[in-house]
Every structure is written in structure tokens, then in C-alpha cells.
Amino acid sequence: FWLVNINYKANIFTHYIEILSKRYNYIFTEVEIIGLNNISKIDVDQYFKKYLNQSIFLIPIKEISHEIGKHNWIESAILKNNFKNKIIIYIKEFNPIAVYFNGKNYLLINESGYVIDFANNKEIQQYIILEGQNSSEHAPELIEAIPNELISRISKAHYINDRRWDIYTKGNLRI
């Protein structure tokens, strides 16, 4: 009985919040996203569709933030509302450090060695290609050890026997 009573009171409370929000124009109508580079705005907007034109106070911001944070590209997502009609999302995306070739696909990896997404042709040309078993796990150490002025001269690195790297320059010199 008490559980039904709590649900009933919660529903009444929610109903009154909706009424007051509409009366004083505290209705969610807008999403502003800051920091998107590699993700489509549509991918983020999908989390808010069912809340449009509802009370800004009843939107589960923590839950939505958690769900958005599950996206491979997103390192962190901070959601804030203006307590009127808008939710502002500050997104920090992972920066790819290399492309990992797993034998079938070229995959972008982040600074922790985790796969972010499939790499397109432009990205394959832009980053060092890593090959070999466990190469993605050891990629952060390799990339950190290479001086910045030399990274652009390296085309690929092959991890061998869980102990060493063969590095290939764009001029096909093996180091």
C-alpha cells in the first residue's frame, strides 16, 4: 500500500511541476551543444526528443549525461540547464593518436589505446598505422616516445613478439 501511495504522490508532484512550468514558461525547447567535432548533432539530439516541450525541471540530466558519455568519441559530457528553456552540453571528445589495423579494419584509437571508430581514408593517411598483436595496448607508450617533429615522417609501426616495434618511415626506411 505504501509503495502505491508514494507513486501516487510522485505523479501528483510531477503533474503540478508540469502545470507550473507551462504557466511560467519553463518549457524545454532548445539544446545547445559545444565541442562537437566528430559526432553528429543528431546523435546527441536523440537523447532529448522525448523531453521537448516538457518542464525543464523534469529532465533527467544525470541519466542523459551518463548515456551520452557511453559514445566512443566522448571523453566527457557536462550538461547544464538555464532553468528556463535550454540545456547546454559541453562535450570533450577523445583525440585519436593512431590508426590500428586489426587485419580487417582500420580503427582510430585514443590516447589509452581504446578503439574510437572506424578510420576513413583521410585519417589513415593522417595518423601512424599500428599493426601486430597487442599493438593498440602499447600504442600510447610508442606515440609518447616519438618526438613530435618525427611523427609526421612515420607511416606505420609493427609491434613484434610483445617486445619491440619496427617503425617504417614514409620513405620506406625500417627502424
Side-chain angles (χ1 to χ4, degrees):
F1 171 74
W2 61 271
L3 185 59
V4 172
N5 195 20
I6 289 173
N7 286 337
Y8 175 75
K9 288 179 181 179
N11 287 338
I12 289 175
F13 182 70
T14 301
H15 177 71
Y16 281 118
I17 289 175
E18 282 287 345
I19 290 172
L20 290 171
S21 294
K22 286 180 182 174
R23 181 179 294 158
Y24 296 104
N25 204 23
Y26 290 106
I27 302 299
F28 171 57
T29 59
E30 185 181 350
V31 175
E32 180 182 346
I33 305 170
I34 299 168
L36 277 187
N37 295 311
N38 298 295
I39 306 168
S40 162
K41 184 179 184 319
I42 295 168
D43 288 345
V44 178
D45 282 343
Q46 73 175 337
Y47 297 103
F48 297 97
K49 283 181 185 175
K50 68 181 180 180
Y51 302 108
L52 278 173
N53 299 314
Q54 294 184 17
S55 171
I56 192 84
F57 302 112
L58 297 176
I59 299 172
I61 289 180
K62 284 185 180 181
E63 289 174 27
I64 294 171
S65 177
H66 179 72
E67 288 301 311
I68 290 172
K70 290 180 181 178
H71 194 286
N72 286 352
W73 274 103
I74 297 179
E75 185 173 347
S76 66
I78 299 170
L79 279 67
K80 296 183 178 187
N81 75 43
N82 68 352
F83 296 107
K84 185 70 177 162
N85 69 331
K86 181 178 11 177
I87 292 182
I88 304 161
I89 307 168
Y90 300 93
I91 289 181
K92 181 178 181 195
E93 294 181 350
F94 284 112
N95 291 317
I97 62 165
V99 172
Y100 168 61
F101 182 65
N102 66 2
K104 295 179 186 176
N105 300 304
Y106 290 92
L107 306 163
L108 291 169
I109 59 172
N110 66 22
E111 51 273 336
S112 298
Y114 297 116
V115 172
I116 301 172
D117 204 350
F118 290 97
N120 61 37
N121 287 336
K122 180 183 172 191
E123 292 162 335
I124 291 170
Q125 300 299 320
Q126 181 180 357
Y127 297 103
I128 296 172
I129 297 171
L130 305 174
E131 297 175 340
Q133 187 174 359
N134 298 324
S135 62
S136 63
E137 290 96 38
H138 295 280
E141 301 149 15
L142 172 70
I143 300 299
E144 190 174 307
I146 299 172
N148 288 337
E149 57 272 3
L150 295 180
I151 284 183
S152 64
R153 296 181 180 178
I154 298 172
S155 62
K156 82 177 173 180
H158 190 95
Y159 195 59
I160 299 175
N161 296 331
D162 267 337
R163 63 182 184 86
R164 70 177 177 88
W165 289 96
D166 280 356
I167 297 173
Y168 297 85
T169 67
K170 292 188 177 172
N172 281 335
L173 177 65
R174 184 173 73 174
I175 303 171

CSV table of all heavy atoms in Angstrom, one decimal, residues 6-63:
chain,number,residue,atom,x,y,z
A,6,ILE,N,3.3,6.2,-2.5
A,6,ILE,CA,4.4,7.0,-2.9
A,6,ILE,C,4.4,7.3,-4.4
A,6,ILE,O,4.6,8.5,-4.8
A,6,ILE,CB,5.7,6.3,-2.5
A,6,ILE,CG1,5.9,6.3,-1.0
A,6,ILE,CG2,6.9,6.9,-3.2
A,6,ILE,CD1,7.1,5.5,-0.6
A,7,ASN,N,4.1,6.3,-5.2
A,7,ASN,CA,3.9,6.6,-6.7
A,7,ASN,C,2.8,7.6,-7.0
A,7,ASN,O,3.0,8.4,-7.8
A,7,ASN,CB,3.7,5.2,-7.4
A,7,ASN,CG,4.9,4.4,-7.5
A,7,ASN,OD1,6.0,4.9,-7.4
A,7,ASN,ND2,4.7,3.1,-7.6
A,8,TYR,N,1.7,7.5,-6.3
A,8,TYR,CA,0.6,8.4,-6.5
A,8,TYR,C,1.1,9.8,-6.1
A,8,TYR,O,0.8,10.8,-6.9
A,8,TYR,CB,-0.6,8.0,-5.6
A,8,TYR,CG,-1.7,8.9,-5.7
A,8,TYR,CD1,-2.5,9.0,-6.8
A,8,TYR,CD2,-2.0,9.8,-4.6
A,8,TYR,CE1,-3.6,9.9,-6.9
A,8,TYR,CE2,-3.1,10.7,-4.7
A,8,TYR,CZ,-3.9,10.7,-5.8
A,8,TYR,OH,-4.9,11.6,-5.9
A,9,LYS,N,1.8,10.0,-5.0
A,9,LYS,CA,2.2,11.3,-4.6
A,9,LYS,C,3.3,11.9,-5.6
A,9,LYS,O,3.3,13.0,-6.0
A,9,LYS,CB,2.8,11.3,-3.2
A,9,LYS,CG,1.7,11.2,-2.2
A,9,LYS,CD,2.3,11.1,-0.8
A,9,LYS,CE,1.2,10.9,0.3
A,9,LYS,NZ,1.7,10.9,1.6
A,10,ALA,N,4.1,11.0,-6.1
A,10,ALA,CA,5.1,11.4,-7.1
A,10,ALA,C,4.5,11.9,-8.4
A,10,ALA,O,4.9,12.9,-9.0
A,10,ALA,CB,6.1,10.3,-7.4
A,11,ASN,N,3.4,11.1,-8.8
A,11,ASN,CA,2.7,11.5,-10.0
A,11,ASN,C,2.0,12.8,-9.8
A,11,ASN,O,2.0,13.7,-10.8
A,11,ASN,CB,1.7,10.4,-10.4
A,11,ASN,CG,2.4,9.2,-11.0
A,11,ASN,OD1,3.5,9.3,-11.5
A,11,ASN,ND2,1.7,8.1,-10.9
A,12,ILE,N,1.4,13.1,-8.7
A,12,ILE,CA,0.8,14.4,-8.4
A,12,ILE,C,1.8,15.5,-8.4
A,12,ILE,O,1.6,16.5,-9.0
A,12,ILE,CB,0.0,14.3,-7.1
A,12,ILE,CG1,-1.2,13.4,-7.2
A,12,ILE,CG2,-0.4,15.7,-6.7
A,12,ILE,CD1,-2.0,13.2,-5.9
A,13,PHE,N,2.9,15.3,-7.8
A,13,PHE,CA,4.0,16.2,-7.7
A,13,PHE,C,4.5,16.6,-9.2
A,13,PHE,O,4.6,17.8,-9.5
A,13,PHE,CB,5.2,15.7,-6.9
A,13,PHE,CG,6.3,16.6,-6.7
A,13,PHE,CD1,6.2,17.8,-5.9
A,13,PHE,CD2,7.5,16.4,-7.3
A,13,PHE,CE1,7.2,18.7,-5.8
A,13,PHE,CE2,8.6,17.2,-7.2
A,13,PHE,CZ,8.5,18.4,-6.4
A,14,THR,N,4.7,15.6,-10.0
A,14,THR,CA,5.1,15.7,-11.4
A,14,THR,C,4.1,16.5,-12.1
A,14,THR,O,4.4,17.4,-12.9
A,14,THR,CB,5.4,14.4,-12.0
A,14,THR,OG1,6.4,13.7,-11.3
A,14,THR,CG2,5.8,14.5,-13.5
A,15,HIS,N,2.9,16.2,-11.9
A,15,HIS,CA,1.8,16.9,-12.6
A,15,HIS,C,1.8,18.4,-12.3
A,15,HIS,O,1.6,19.2,-13.1
A,15,HIS,CB,0.4,16.3,-12.2
A,15,HIS,CG,-0.8,16.9,-12.8
A,15,HIS,ND1,-1.1,16.9,-14.2
A,15,HIS,CD2,-1.7,17.7,-12.2
A,15,HIS,CE1,-2.2,17.6,-14.4
A,15,HIS,NE2,-2.6,18.1,-13.2
A,16,TYR,N,1.9,18.7,-11.0
A,16,TYR,CA,2.0,20.2,-10.6
A,16,TYR,C,3.2,20.9,-11.1
A,16,TYR,O,3.1,22.1,-11.5
A,16,TYR,CB,1.9,20.3,-9.1
A,16,TYR,CG,0.5,20.1,-8.6
A,16,TYR,CD1,0.2,19.1,-7.7
A,16,TYR,CD2,-0.6,21.0,-9.0
A,16,TYR,CE1,-1.1,18.9,-7.2
A,16,TYR,CE2,-1.8,20.8,-8.5
A,16,TYR,CZ,-2.1,19.8,-7.6
A,16,TYR,OH,-3.4,19.6,-7.2
A,17,ILE,N,4.3,20.2,-11.2
A,17,ILE,CA,5.5,20.8,-11.8
A,17,ILE,C,5.2,21.1,-13.2
A,17,ILE,O,5.6,22.2,-13.7
A,17,ILE,CB,6.8,19.9,-11.6
A,17,ILE,CG1,7.2,19.9,-10.2
A,17,ILE,CG2,7.9,20.4,-12.5
A,17,ILE,CD1,8.3,19.0,-9.9
A,18,GLU,N,4.6,20.2,-14.0
A,18,GLU,CA,4.3,20.5,-15.4
A,18,GLU,C,3.3,21.7,-15.5
A,18,GLU,O,3.5,22.5,-16.4
A,18,GLU,CB,3.6,19.2,-16.0
A,18,GLU,CG,4.6,18.1,-16.4
A,18,GLU,CD,5.4,18.4,-17.6
A,18,GLU,OE1,5.1,19.4,-18.4
A,18,GLU,OE2,6.4,17.7,-17.8
A,19,ILE,N,2.3,21.7,-14.7
A,19,ILE,CA,1.4,22.9,-14.7
A,19,ILE,C,2.1,24.2,-14.5
A,19,ILE,O,1.9,25.2,-15.2
A,19,ILE,CB,0.2,22.7,-13.7
A,19,ILE,CG1,-0.7,21.5,-14.2
A,19,ILE,CG2,-0.6,23.9,-13.6
A,19,ILE,CD1,-1.7,21.1,-13.2
A,20,LEU,N,2.9,24.3,-13.4
A,20,LEU,CA,3.6,25.5,-13.1
A,20,LEU,C,4.6,25.9,-14.2
A,20,LEU,O,4.8,27.0,-14.5
A,20,LEU,CB,4.2,25.4,-11.7
A,20,LEU,CG,3.3,25.4,-10.5
A,20,LEU,CD1,4.0,25.0,-9.2
A,20,LEU,CD2,2.6,26.7,-10.4
A,21,SER,N,5.3,24.9,-14.7
A,21,SER,CA,6.3,25.1,-15.8
A,21,SER,C,5.6,25.7,-17.0
A,21,SER,O,6.1,26.7,-17.6
A,21,SER,CB,7.0,23.8,-16.1
A,21,SER,OG,7.8,23.4,-15.1
A,22,LYS,N,4.5,25.2,-17.4
A,22,LYS,CA,3.7,25.8,-18.5
A,22,LYS,C,3.2,27.2,-18.2
A,22,LYS,O,3.3,28.0,-19.1
A,22,LYS,CB,2.6,24.8,-18.9
A,22,LYS,CG,3.1,23.6,-19.6
A,22,LYS,CD,2.0,22.7,-20.0
A,22,LYS,CE,2.7,21.4,-20.7
A,22,LYS,NZ,1.7,20.4,-21.0
A,23,ARG,N,2.7,27.4,-17.0
A,23,ARG,CA,2.2,28.7,-16.7
A,23,ARG,C,3.3,29.8,-16.7
A,23,ARG,O,3.1,30.9,-17.2
A,23,ARG,CB,1.6,28.6,-15.3
A,23,ARG,CG,1.0,30.0,-14.9
A,23,ARG,CD,0.4,30.0,-13.5
A,23,ARG,NE,-0.8,29.1,-13.5
A,23,ARG,CZ,-1.3,28.5,-12.4
A,23,ARG,NH1,-0.8,28.7,-11.3
A,23,ARG,NH2,-2.4,27.7,-12.6
A,24,TYR,N,4.5,29.4,-16.3
A,24,TYR,CA,5.6,30.4,-16.2
A,24,TYR,C,6.6,30.2,-17.3
A,24,TYR,O,7.7,30.8,-17.2
A,24,TYR,CB,6.2,30.4,-14.8
A,24,TYR,CG,5.3,30.8,-13.7
A,24,TYR,CD1,4.7,29.9,-12.9
A,24,TYR,CD2,4.9,32.1,-13.6
A,24,TYR,CE1,3.8,30.2,-11.9
A,24,TYR,CE2,4.0,32.5,-12.6
A,24,TYR,CZ,3.4,31.6,-11.8
A,24,TYR,OH,2.5,31.9,-10.9
A,25,ASN,N,6.3,29.4,-18.3
A,25,ASN,CA,7.1,29.2,-19.5
A,25,ASN,C,8.5,28.7,-19.2
A,25,ASN,O,9.5,29.1,-19.7
A,25,ASN,CB,7.2,30.5,-20.3
A,25,ASN,CG,7.5,30.3,-21.7
A,25,ASN,OD1,7.2,29.2,-22.2
A,25,ASN,ND2,8.1,31.2,-22.4
A,26,TYR,N,8.5,27.6,-18.3
A,26,TYR,CA,9.8,26.9,-18.1
A,26,TYR,C,9.7,25.6,-18.8
A,26,TYR,O,9.8,24.5,-18.3
A,26,TYR,CB,9.9,26.6,-16.6
A,26,TYR,CG,10.3,27.9,-15.8
A,26,TYR,CD1,9.3,28.5,-15.0
A,26,TYR,CD2,11.5,28.4,-15.9
A,26,TYR,CE1,9.6,29.6,-14.3
A,26,TYR,CE2,11.8,29.6,-15.2
A,26,TYR,CZ,10.8,30.2,-14.4
A,26,TYR,OH,11.1,31.3,-13.7
A,27,ILE,N,9.6,25.7,-20.1
A,27,ILE,CA,9.4,24.5,-21.0
A,27,ILE,C,10.7,24.3,-21.9
A,27,ILE,O,11.2,25.2,-22.5
A,27,ILE,CB,8.2,24.7,-22.0
A,27,ILE,CG1,6.9,25.0,-21.1
A,27,ILE,CG2,8.0,23.6,-22.9
A,27,ILE,CD1,6.6,23.8,-20.2
A,28,PHE,N,11.2,23.1,-21.9
A,28,PHE,CA,12.4,22.7,-22.6
A,28,PHE,C,12.1,22.8,-24.1
A,28,PHE,O,11.2,22.1,-24.6
A,28,PHE,CB,12.8,21.3,-22.2
A,28,PHE,CG,13.9,20.8,-23.0
A,28,PHE,CD1,15.1,21.4,-23.2
A,28,PHE,CD2,13.7,19.6,-23.7
A,28,PHE,CE1,16.1,20.9,-23.9
A,28,PHE,CE2,14.8,19.0,-24.4
A,28,PHE,CZ,16.0,19.7,-24.6
A,29,THR,N,12.9,23.6,-24.8
A,29,THR,CA,12.7,23.8,-26.3
A,29,THR,C,14.0,23.8,-27.0
A,29,THR,O,13.9,23.7,-28.3
A,29,THR,CB,12.0,25.1,-26.6
A,29,THR,OG1,12.7,26.2,-26.1
A,29,THR,CG2,10.6,25.1,-26.0
A,30,GLU,N,15.1,23.9,-26.4
A,30,GLU,CA,16.4,24.1,-27.1
A,30,GLU,C,17.5,23.3,-26.5
A,30,GLU,O,17.7,23.2,-25.3
A,30,GLU,CB,16.7,25.6,-27.1
A,30,GLU,CG,17.9,26.0,-27.9
A,30,GLU,CD,18.1,27.5,-27.9
A,30,GLU,OE1,17.3,28.2,-27.4
A,30,GLU,OE2,19.2,27.9,-28.3
A,31,VAL,N,18.4,22.8,-27.4
A,31,VAL,CA,19.7,22.1,-26.9
A,31,VAL,C,20.8,22.9,-27.6
A,31,VAL,O,20.8,23.1,-28.8
A,31,VAL,CB,19.7,20.6,-27.4
A,31,VAL,CG1,21.0,20.0,-27.0
A,31,VAL,CG2,18.6,19.8,-26.7
A,32,GLU,N,21.8,23.3,-26.8
A,32,GLU,CA,23.0,23.9,-27.4
A,32,GLU,C,24.1,22.9,-27.1
A,32,GLU,O,24.3,22.5,-25.9
A,32,GLU,CB,23.2,25.2,-26.7
A,32,GLU,CG,24.5,25.9,-27.3
A,32,GLU,CD,24.7,27.3,-26.6
A,32,GLU,OE1,23.8,27.8,-25.9
A,32,GLU,OE2,25.8,27.8,-26.7
A,33,ILE,N,24.9,22.6,-28.1
A,33,ILE,CA,26.0,21.6,-27.9
A,33,ILE,C,27.3,22.3,-28.3
A,33,ILE,O,27.5,22.9,-29.4
A,33,ILE,CB,25.8,20.4,-28.9
A,33,ILE,CG1,24.4,19.8,-28.6
A,33,ILE,CG2,26.9,19.4,-28.6
A,33,ILE,CD1,24.1,18.7,-29.6
A,34,ILE,N,28.2,22.3,-27.3
A,34,ILE,CA,29.5,22.9,-27.5
A,34,ILE,C,30.6,21.8,-27.5
A,34,ILE,O,30.6,21.0,-26.6
A,34,ILE,CB,29.8,23.9,-26.4
A,34,ILE,CG1,28.7,25.0,-26.4
A,34,ILE,CG2,31.2,24.5,-26.5
A,34,ILE,CD1,28.7,25.9,-25.2
A,35,GLY,N,31.5,21.8,-28.5
A,35,GLY,CA,32.6,20.9,-28.5
A,35,GLY,C,32.4,19.7,-29.5
A,35,GLY,O,33.3,18.8,-29.4
A,36,LEU,N,31.4,19.7,-30.3
A,36,LEU,CA,31.3,18.6,-31.3
A,36,LEU,C,32.2,18.8,-32.4
A,36,LEU,O,32.2,19.8,-33.1
A,36,LEU,CB,29.8,18.5,-31.8
A,36,LEU,CG,28.8,17.8,-31.0
A,36,LEU,CD1,27.5,17.7,-31.7
A,36,LEU,CD2,29.2,16.4,-30.5
A,37,ASN,N,32.9,17.7,-32.8
A,37,ASN,CA,33.8,17.8,-34.0
A,37,ASN,C,33.6,16.5,-34.8
A,37,ASN,O,33.5,16.6,-36.0
A,37,ASN,CB,35.3,17.9,-33.6
A,37,ASN,CG,35.6,19.2,-32.9
A,37,ASN,OD1,35.2,20.2,-33.4
A,37,ASN,ND2,36.2,19.1,-31.8
A,38,ASN,N,33.5,15.4,-34.2
A,38,ASN,CA,33.4,14.1,-34.9
A,38,ASN,C,32.1,13.4,-34.7
A,38,ASN,O,31.9,12.3,-35.3
A,38,ASN,CB,34.5,13.2,-34.4
A,38,ASN,CG,35.9,13.8,-34.6
A,38,ASN,OD1,36.3,13.9,-35.8
A,38,ASN,ND2,36.6,14.1,-33.6
A,39,ILE,N,31.2,13.9,-34.0
A,39,ILE,CA,29.9,13.3,-33.8
A,39,ILE,C,28.8,14.2,-34.4
A,39,ILE,O,28.9,15.4,-34.3
A,39,ILE,CB,29.6,13.1,-32.3
A,39,ILE,CG1,30.7,12.4,-31.5
A,39,ILE,CG2,28.3,12.4,-32.0
A,39,ILE,CD1,30.7,12.5,-30.1
A,40,SER,N,27.8,13.6,-34.9
A,40,SER,CA,26.7,14.3,-35.5
A,40,SER,C,25.9,14.9,-34.4
A,40,SER,O,25.6,14.3,-33.3
A,40,SER,CB,25.9,13.3,-36.3
A,40,SER,OG,24.6,13.9,-36.6
A,41,LYS,N,25.4,16.1,-34.6
A,41,LYS,CA,24.5,16.7,-33.6
A,41,LYS,C,23.2,15.9,-33.5
A,41,LYS,O,22.7,15.8,-32.4
A,41,LYS,CB,24.1,18.1,-34.1
A,41,LYS,CG,23.2,18.9,-33.2
A,41,LYS,CD,22.9,20.3,-33.7
A,41,LYS,CE,22.1,21.2,-32.8
A,41,LYS,NZ,21.0,20.7,-32.1
A,42,ILE,N,22.8,15.2,-34.5
A,42,ILE,CA,21.6,14.3,-34.5
A,42,ILE,C,21.8,13.2,-33.5
A,42,ILE,O,20.9,12.8,-32.7
A,42,ILE,CB,21.3,13.8,-35.9
A,42,ILE,CG1,20.9,14.9,-36.8
A,42,ILE,CG2,20.3,12.7,-35.8
A,42,ILE,CD1,20.9,14.5,-38.3
A,43,ASP,N,23.1,12.7,-33.4
A,43,ASP,CA,23.4,11.6,-32.4
A,43,ASP,C,23.2,12.1,-31.0
A,43,ASP,O,22.7,11.3,-30.1
A,43,ASP,CB,24.8,11.1,-32.6
A,43,ASP,CG,25.1,10.3,-33.8
A,43,ASP,OD1,24.1,9.9,-34.4
A,43,ASP,OD2,26.2,10.1,-34.2
A,44,VAL,N,23.4,13.3,-30.7
A,44,VAL,CA,23.2,13.8,-29.3
A,44,VAL,C,21.8,14.3,-29.1
A,44,VAL,O,21.2,14.0,-28.1
A,44,VAL,CB,24.2,15.0,-29.1
A,44,VAL,CG1,24.0,15.6,-27.7
A,44,VAL,CG2,25.7,14.6,-29.2
A,45,ASP,N,21.2,14.9,-30.1
A,45,ASP,CA,19.8,15.3,-30.0
A,45,ASP,C,18.8,14.2,-29.7
A,45,ASP,O,17.8,14.4,-29.1
A,45,ASP,CB,19.4,16.0,-31.3
A,45,ASP,CG,19.9,17.5,-31.4
A,45,ASP,OD1,20.3,18.0,-30.4
A,45,ASP,OD2,19.9,18.0,-32.5
A,46,GLN,N,19.1,13.0,-30.1
A,46,GLN,CA,18.2,11.9,-29.9
A,46,GLN,C,17.9,11.6,-28.5
A,46,GLN,O,16.8,11.1,-28.1
A,46,GLN,CB,18.8,10.6,-30.5
A,46,GLN,CG,20.0,10.0,-29.7
A,46,GLN,CD,20.5,8.7,-30.2
A,46,GLN,OE1,19.8,8.0,-30.9
A,46,GLN,NE2,21.7,8.4,-29.9
A,47,TYR,N,18.8,12.0,-27.6
A,47,TYR,CA,18.5,11.8,-26.1
A,47,TYR,C,17.5,12.8,-25.6
A,47,TYR,O,17.0,12.6,-24.5
A,47,TYR,CB,19.8,11.9,-25.3
A,47,TYR,CG,20.9,10.9,-25.7
A,47,TYR,CD1,21.9,11.2,-26.5
A,47,TYR,CD2,20.8,9.6,-25.3
A,47,TYR,CE1,22.9,10.3,-26.9
A,47,TYR,CE2,21.7,8.7,-25.6
A,47,TYR,CZ,22.8,9.0,-26.4
A,47,TYR,OH,23.7,8.1,-26.8
A,48,PHE,N,17.2,13.8,-26.3
A,48,PHE,CA,16.3,14.8,-25.8
A,48,PHE,C,14.9,14.9,-26.5
A,48,PHE,O,14.0,15.6,-26.0
A,48,PHE,CB,17.0,16.2,-26.0
A,48,PHE,CG,18.2,16.3,-25.2
A,48,PHE,CD1,19.4,16.1,-25.7
A,48,PHE,CD2,18.1,16.6,-23.8
A,48,PHE,CE1,20.6,16.1,-25.0
A,48,PHE,CE2,19.3,16.7,-23.0
A,48,PHE,CZ,20.5,16.4,-23.6
A,49,LYS,N,14.7,14.1,-27.6
A,49,LYS,CA,13.5,14.2,-28.3
A,49,LYS,C,12.2,14.0,-27.5
A,49,LYS,O,11.3,14.8,-27.6
A,49,LYS,CB,13.5,13.1,-29.4
A,49,LYS,CG,14.3,13.5,-30.6
A,49,LYS,CD,14.2,12.4,-31.7
A,49,LYS,CE,15.1,12.6,-32.8
A,49,LYS,NZ,15.1,11.5,-33.8
A,50,LYS,N,12.2,13.0,-26.6
A,50,LYS,CA,11.0,12.8,-25.8
A,50,LYS,C,10.8,13.8,-24.7
A,50,LYS,O,9.7,13.8,-24.1
A,50,LYS,CB,11.1,11.3,-25.3
A,50,LYS,CG,12.1,11.1,-24.2
A,50,LYS,CD,12.0,9.6,-23.7
A,50,LYS,CE,13.0,9.3,-22.7
A,50,LYS,NZ,12.9,7.9,-22.3
A,51,TYR,N,11.7,14.7,-24.5
A,51,TYR,CA,11.5,15.7,-23.4
A,51,TYR,C,11.2,17.1,-23.9
A,51,TYR,O,10.9,18.0,-23.1
A,51,TYR,CB,12.8,15.8,-22.6
A,51,TYR,CG,13.2,14.5,-21.9
A,51,TYR,CD1,14.3,13.7,-22.4
A,51,TYR,CD2,12.4,13.9,-20.9
A,51,TYR,CE1,14.6,12.5,-21.8
A,51,TYR,CE2,12.7,12.7,-20.3
A,51,TYR,CZ,13.8,12.0,-20.8
A,51,TYR,OH,14.2,10.8,-20.2
A,52,LEU,N,11.2,17.2,-25.3
A,52,LEU,CA,10.8,18.5,-25.8
A,52,LEU,C,9.4,18.9,-25.4
A,52,LEU,O,8.5,18.1,-25.3
A,52,LEU,CB,10.9,18.5,-27.4
A,52,LEU,CG,12.3,18.6,-28.0
A,52,LEU,CD1,12.3,18.4,-29.5
A,52,LEU,CD2,12.9,20.0,-27.6
A,53,ASN,N,9.3,20.2,-25.1
A,53,ASN,CA,8.0,20.8,-24.7
A,53,ASN,C,7.5,20.3,-23.4
A,53,ASN,O,6.3,20.4,-23.2
A,53,ASN,CB,7.0,20.7,-25.8
A,53,ASN,CG,7.5,21.4,-27.1
A,53,ASN,OD1,7.9,22.5,-27.0
A,53,ASN,ND2,7.3,20.7,-28.2
A,54,GLN,N,8.4,19.8,-22.6
A,54,GLN,CA,8.1,19.4,-21.2
A,54,GLN,C,8.8,20.3,-20.2
A,54,GLN,O,9.6,21.1,-20.6
A,54,GLN,CB,8.4,18.0,-20.9
A,54,GLN,CG,7.7,17.0,-21.8
A,54,GLN,CD,8.0,15.5,-21.4
A,54,GLN,OE1,8.6,15.3,-20.4
A,54,GLN,NE2,7.6,14.6,-22.3
A,55,SER,N,8.5,20.2,-19.0
A,55,SER,CA,9.1,21.0,-18.0
A,55,SER,C,10.6,20.8,-18.0
A,55,SER,O,11.1,19.7,-18.0
A,55,SER,CB,8.5,20.7,-16.6
A,55,SER,OG,9.3,21.3,-15.6
A,56,ILE,N,11.3,21.9,-17.9
A,56,ILE,CA,12.8,21.9,-17.9
A,56,ILE,C,13.3,21.2,-16.6
A,56,ILE,O,14.3,20.7,-16.5
A,56,ILE,CB,13.4,23.3,-18.1
A,56,ILE,CG1,14.9,23.2,-18.3
A,56,ILE,CG2,13.1,24.2,-16.9
A,56,ILE,CD1,15.3,23.0,-19.7
A,57,PHE,N,12.4,21.3,-15.6
A,57,PHE,CA,12.8,20.7,-14.2
A,57,PHE,C,12.7,19.2,-14.1
A,57,PHE,O,13.2,18.6,-13.2
A,57,PHE,CB,12.0,21.4,-13.1
A,57,PHE,CG,12.1,22.9,-13.1
A,57,PHE,CD1,11.0,23.7,-13.5
A,57,PHE,CD2,13.3,23.5,-12.8
A,57,PHE,CE1,11.1,25.0,-13.5
A,57,PHE,CE2,13.4,24.9,-12.8
A,57,PHE,CZ,12.3,25.6,-13.1
A,58,LEU,N,12.0,18.6,-15.1
A,58,LEU,CA,11.8,17.1,-15.0
A,58,LEU,C,12.7,16.3,-16.0
A,58,LEU,O,12.5,15.1,-16.1
A,58,LEU,CB,10.3,16.8,-15.4
A,58,LEU,CG,9.3,17.4,-14.3
A,58,LEU,CD1,7.9,17.2,-14.8
A,58,LEU,CD2,9.5,16.9,-13.0
A,59,ILE,N,13.6,17.0,-16.6
A,59,ILE,CA,14.5,16.3,-17.5
A,59,ILE,C,15.6,15.6,-16.7
A,59,ILE,O,16.3,16.3,-15.9
A,59,ILE,CB,15.1,17.3,-18.5
A,59,ILE,CG1,13.9,17.8,-19.4
A,59,ILE,CG2,16.1,16.5,-19.4
A,59,ILE,CD1,14.3,18.9,-20.3
A,60,PRO,N,15.8,14.3,-16.8
A,60,PRO,CA,16.8,13.6,-16.0
A,60,PRO,C,18.3,13.8,-16.6
A,60,PRO,O,18.8,13.0,-17.3
A,60,PRO,CB,16.4,12.1,-16.2
A,60,PRO,CG,15.7,12.1,-17.5
A,60,PRO,CD,15.1,13.4,-17.7
A,61,ILE,N,18.8,15.0,-16.2
A,61,ILE,CA,20.1,15.4,-16.8
A,61,ILE,C,21.2,14.4,-16.5
A,61,ILE,O,22.0,14.1,-17.3
A,61,ILE,CB,20.4,16.8,-16.3
A,61,ILE,CG1,19.5,17.8,-17.0
A,61,ILE,CG2,21.9,17.2,-16.6
A,61,ILE,CD1,19.7,19.3,-16.6
A,62,LYS,N,21.3,13.9,-15.3
A,62,LYS,CA,22.4,13.0,-14.9
A,62,LYS,C,22.3,11.7,-15.7
A,62,LYS,O,23.3,11.2,-16.2
A,62,LYS,CB,22.3,12.6,-13.4
A,62,LYS,CG,22.9,13.7,-12.6
A,62,LYS,CD,22.9,13.3,-11.1
A,62,LYS,CE,23.5,14.5,-10.3
A,62,LYS,NZ,23.6,14.1,-8.9
A,63,GLU,N,21.1,11.2,-15.9
A,63,GLU,CA,20.9,10.0,-16.7
A,63,GLU,C,21.3,10.2,-18.2
A,63,GLU,O,22.0,9.4,-18.8
A,63,GLU,CB,19.4,9.5,-16.7
A,63,GLU,CG,19.0,8.9,-15.4
A,63,GLU,CD,17.5,8.6,-15.4
A,63,GLU,OE1,16.9,8.4,-16.4
A,63,GLU,OE2,16.9,8.7,-14.3
